[in-house]
Amino acid sequence: MSVAKISEITATSKKSFDDAVQNGIKRASKTIHGISGAWVAEQEVTVKEGKVTGYKVRLKLTFVLDAD
C-alpha cells in the first residue's frame, strides 16, 4: 500500500510563471524525493512602474512516502 502526502510551497521567478514552477520543483526535489505531481494553487505578479517585474506561484506537490 502506498501513502502519498501533499506539501505546499511558494516559488518565484523574474522570467515567467512556468519558470517559477520549474524553480519550485527543482528546489523541492533537493529535499523531497518521490514527487509524482504538482498543481498551481495560485499565481501572483509583482508590478513596478506599470511593468511586471516578478512572478510567484503557490504549488501543491504530491509525493509518495517511503515504505517501512
Side-chain angles (χ1 to χ4, degrees):
M1 178 175 98
S2 295
V3 176
K5 180 171 174 115
I6 297 172
S7 185
E8 189 172 288
I9 65 167
T10 300
T12 61
S13 170
K14 291 185 179 183
K15 295 180 188 177
S16 66
F17 286 120
D18 184 55
D19 193 51
V21 170
Q22 294 293 332
N23 290 343
I25 292 172
K26 182 177 178 181
R27 174 58 185 90
S29 293
K30 291 181 180 181
T31 55
I32 301 172
H33 55 278
I35 296 173
S36 60
W39 69 93
V40 177
E42 188 175 304
Q43 296 179 318
E44 181 181 333
V45 294
T46 304
V47 178
K48 186 174 182 181
E49 297 177 8
K51 295 184 180 181
V52 175
T53 59
Y55 301 84
K56 182 176 13 176
V57 293
R58 186 168 47 94
L59 299 170
K60 293 189 178 191
L61 304 176
T62 303
F63 57 97
V64 177
L65 298 177
D66 291 339
D68 291 335

